[in-house]
Amino acid sequence: MNALIERVALIRRIPIQWIFAYGSLLMASLVLRVMSANNDLWLDEIWSLNIAHKARSGLDILLQNKIDNNHFLNTLILHWLPPHSGSLLYRAPACLAGVLGVLFAIRLGLRKGPRYGFFLGYITCFAYFLIHYSSEARGYAYLILFSLVAVDCVMEEMKCPSAWNRCLFLMATVMGMLSHATFLAVIAGLLIGSLFNIQTTSLLDQMRRHALFWFGPILAISLIVFFLLFGMGVGGGNSIALSEALLTTAGWGIFGNSSQVGCWLGVGLFVILILWIISLDRNLPLLFGGTVTLIIIPSILLIATPRPDLVYPRYWLVQVLLLYLLLAGLLDWFWQKGKIYKIATVAFLVIWTWTNLRATFHLIQVGRGNYTEAIRE
């Protein structure tokens, strides 16, 4: 109950102008995602729909369709929706998850202040990478949502531990793992980061609380990996070099532009964010936890996968989400430095918004599934 009271109190302390700003971001995120969802389903969505409609029950989806295109939570939702519902209805739950993701991003940012909450909400609202994947009937919108919920729960546990928060974290962990296997990178990073937050004073008590918080989620992950993910096959697709996938993710994920210039600009901003964390912010839990999420777990998954040539930009969603968290922090830090820095922040946001909205409007016009290339040919 105390945790719920604390969450309500956090909202009540927000000035009214910020509430209007956050509400505007939520409305904009809903409009952009619905508009992006209002076109034809593409191959992977149709494949997911086929799995959902052929399954006799939810257990069939969980136990009998061990292929990486079966994002369990998404396929279950498609299974429960009426057949022949149309692309917009099939994508509606993902759009809702995308908007809730923006809401949780704002809440997460509010822990560091209303301005940080606005920057993080703004980035998650208008980022083309998130709009694209939270407006299609796949598991990525739920992955984004439950990743943010999990981060919020870990931060809440550090401030105000409660049974309610532990239950919410367990739910987010299960739903995240059922959304997509790359959620493992989120959990691993959070676990390592939270270990670095343990203080030497009252060490035994903190270790006990830490074990209580993490026992259920780790057990749930172990069961999901053993019973659902172990032995999962690779569906196939067009081969892509790892270097190309990473460059495309940097450009597409940060600036909504996969051109050579966009890719290298994305890489440059990534380097700036890392240098800022190391030299100025010096947040050790974030640094070490982020290293696990950005580098160690993806490296392990790359080694484990039988087809590393099929690691597309979408498989780096949680890593891009971490970069958005860092970017919001950098913008908030810049804003506090004076007038020139504020002008630079606004200029950056104008350019960033233009490039991402340009990609979004192209998605709204053309749809997904490489139709642009087909039209050109």
Side-chain angles (χ1 to χ4, degrees):
M1 182 61 70
N2 289 335
L4 288 174
I5 293 173
E6 180 68 25
R7 289 169 189 261
V8 173
L10 179 64
I11 297 173
R12 287 180 174 176
R13 291 195 296 266
I14 304 171
I16 189 67
Q17 65 268 26
W18 286 113
I19 292 178
F20 280 114
Y22 301 145
S24 300
L25 290 177
L26 292 174
M27 287 300 300
S29 66
L30 176 62
V31 170
L32 289 171
R33 282 154 177 79
V34 170
M35 290 176 66
S36 299
N38 193 25
N39 44 53
D40 293 335
L41 300 175
W42 77 289
L43 178 61
D44 279 11
E45 292 175 295
I46 296 170
W47 192 352
S48 300
L49 201 58
N50 188 46
I51 295 172
H53 287 169
K54 284 186 175 180
R56 292 170 297 178
S57 66
L59 283 176
D60 275 358
I61 292 170
L62 295 174
L63 301 175
Q64 301 299 323
N65 289 278
K66 290 196 173 185
I67 191 166
D68 65 350
N69 202 73
N70 180 17
H71 301 169
F72 298 116
L73 180 58
N74 175 69
T75 311
L76 285 168
I77 291 171
L78 294 178
H79 177 73
W80 292 326
L81 286 173
H84 312 296
S85 294
S87 60
L88 191 55
L89 182 57
Y90 283 133
R91 289 168 170 167
C95 291
L96 177 60
V99 176
L100 290 175
V102 175
L103 178 63
F104 265 91
I106 292 171
R107 168 169 167 73
L108 196 57
L110 281 172
R111 294 184 176 279
K112 292 191 174 183
R115 187 173 51 246
Y116 187 97
F118 176 79
F119 282 137
L120 188 52
Y122 188 92
I123 291 168
T124 53
C125 170
F126 291 107
Y128 169 70
F129 206 53
L130 299 191
I131 293 172
H132 183 108
Y133 289 114
S134 59
S135 61
E136 66 177 30
R138 306 276 279 133
Y140 302 111
Y142 313 110
L143 170 67
I144 295 164
L145 170 61
F146 292 116
S147 295
L148 290 166
V149 174
V151 174
D152 186 66
C153 287
V154 170
M155 295 187 70
E156 181 70 16
E157 183 68 14
M158 296 174 188
K159 182 181 179 182
C160 185
S162 68
W164 154 259
N165 190 60
R166 288 192 291 270
C167 291
L168 182 60
F169 183 58
L170 176 60
M171 182 276 295
T173 300
V174 172
M175 293 296 102
M177 287 298 298
L178 293 179
S179 300
H180 200 269
T182 52
F183 185 78
L184 274 170
V186 178
I187 288 298
L190 288 174
L191 176 59
I192 298 301
S194 63
L195 285 173
F196 277 92
N197 263 301
I198 294 179
Q199 305 295 321
T200 53
T201 56
S202 305
L203 182 61
L204 288 178
D205 181 61
Q206 290 189 62
M207 291 296 292
R208 181 188 61 80
R209 284 193 296 151
H210 204 75
L212 186 63
F213 181 73
W214 282 98
F215 175 76
I218 290 176
L219 177 61
I221 289 172
S222 302
L223 293 173
I224 290 172
V225 170
F226 183 79
F227 288 105
L228 302 184
L229 300 181
F230 187 75
M232 179 169 284
V234 178
N238 297 322
S239 296
I240 182 172
L242 180 59
S243 58
E244 182 184 351
L246 291 173
L247 277 173
T248 303
T249 302
W252 201 26
I254 297 179
F255 290 104
N257 189 318
S258 59
S259 68
Q260 190 172 11
V261 174
C263 291
W264 285 110
L265 283 174
V267 171
L269 183 57
F270 169 74
V271 172
I272 290 171
L273 291 172
I274 298 303
L275 291 176
W276 173 67
I277 286 293
I278 294 173
S279 61
L280 296 175
D281 192 59
R282 297 178 183 175
N283 186 328
L284 285 181
L286 179 58
L287 180 61
F288 285 98
T291 300
V292 171
T293 299
L294 283 171
I295 300 173
I296 296 177
I297 296 300
S299 299
I300 293 172
L301 293 177
L302 281 171
I303 294 170
T305 181
R307 293 291 304 274
D309 58 317
L310 299 180
V311 180
Y312 300 120
R314 57 180 177 265
Y315 297 139
W316 304 93
L317 254 174
V318 295
Q319 285 76 24
V320 173
L321 194 59
L322 174 58
L323 295 182
Y324 292 157
L325 293 171
L326 298 180
L327 178 58
L330 180 61
L331 293 174
D332 186 45
W333 181 81
F334 251 74
W335 191 267
Q336 300 175 52
K337 294 300 175 180
K339 186 175 180 180
I340 299 298
Y341 288 89
K342 288 180 180 179
I343 294 172
T345 301
V346 171
F348 171 82
L349 283 176
V350 168
I351 296 170
W352 181 89
T353 305
W354 177 75
T355 58
N356 278 273
L357 284 181
R358 183 183 178 189
T360 299
F361 290 137
H362 183 265
L363 173 65
I364 293 169
Q365 180 184 12
V366 177
R368 62 206 82 207
N370 297 321
Y371 296 140
T372 305
E373 287 76 6
I375 291 170
R376 286 173 180 168
E377 293 174 2

